[in-house]
Structure formats: C-alpha cells, structure tokens
Amino acid sequence: MECVCCLMGEKSTDWKSIRQVLMNADFITNVVHFNTEGLSDKIRNHVKNTYFSQPEFTFEKVNKASQACGPLCLWAKAQVSYSDMLASVDPLRREVAKLEKRKK
C-alpha cells in the first residue's frame, strides 16, 4: 500500500497514515481516474527502485497477504509500465505536435 500511496502523491509511510488514505471516500475513484501522464520520472524511478526491486513484491505474495492489496500491486505495476511507455514515446509525440502546429 505504501507503493500505491507513493504513486498517488501521498507521503504516507506508516500504517496509520496509509489506512487514512484507504478509508478516504475518494480512494477508489482516485485509483480509477489516476492520471498516469502526470507521473513524474522521479516518482516512477523511486517506486521501481524501492518497491519493484524487492523479490517479495509480486502479485502472488501480496495477494496471499491481502486479497485487497493484490490487485493494487498489479495496478501499480501497470501504471509504472504505462508511464515508462509514455516517456519513451514522448519525443515522438512532441515532434508530431510540432509538425501539426507548423502545418496550420
């Protein structure tokens, strides 16, 4: 859950704070409508180095500990993966926008 909080911009690292984030009425809405394009390189790299590098950070192990957190583990990995893909195509997107602007 610490990983999910980090992705969502929360500074929560202790269980009490993380529980407050989870109990927020907007938590599920925020997860569903998460803006992956707004994920910074700094946060993405922090999550990869701090959480994804741990061998126990797998869906199977997390889901065994908590069936509520297992899908959030997959969600976090998917968001970071998609953000990596967006970062890799960003130069192409900027070039297309520049060409479209010049066309007008």
Side-chain angles (χ1 to χ4, degrees), residues 5 10-11 18 21 24 31-32 38 55 64-65 67 85 88 95-96 99 104:
C5 286
E10 299 288 338
K11 305 295 185 218
I18 291 171
V21 171
N24 184 335
V31 168
V32 171
K64 186 175 182 180
Q67 289 186 346
M85 187 276 312
S88 71
E95 182 67 24
V96 167
L99 292 170
K104 293 179 182 180

Side-chain angles (χ1 to χ4, degrees), residues 15-24:
W15 180 239
K16 185 177 179 181
S17 299
I18 291 171
R19 280 188 56 212
Q20 288 177 335
V21 171
L22 289 171
M23 299 193 60
N24 184 335

Side-chain angles (χ1 to χ4, degrees), residues 57-68:
F57 194 80
T58 65
F59 169 75
E60 292 78 16
K61 290 183 180 183
V62 173
N63 199 54
K64 186 175 182 180
S66 168
Q67 289 186 346

Side-chain angles (χ1 to χ4, degrees), residues 58-101:
T58 65
F59 169 75
E60 292 78 16
K61 290 183 180 183
V62 173
N63 199 54
K64 186 175 182 180
S66 168
Q67 289 186 346
C69 292
L72 288 170
C73 171
L74 290 177
W75 175 85
K77 288 185 175 192
Q79 295 305 316
V80 171
S81 177
Y82 183 57
S83 181
D84 283 340
M85 187 276 312
L86 288 173
S88 71
V89 300
D90 188 54
L92 296 172
R93 291 170 69 183
R94 282 188 271 135
E95 182 67 24
V96 167
K98 187 172 123 180
L99 292 170
E100 286 176 343
K101 187 176 180 180

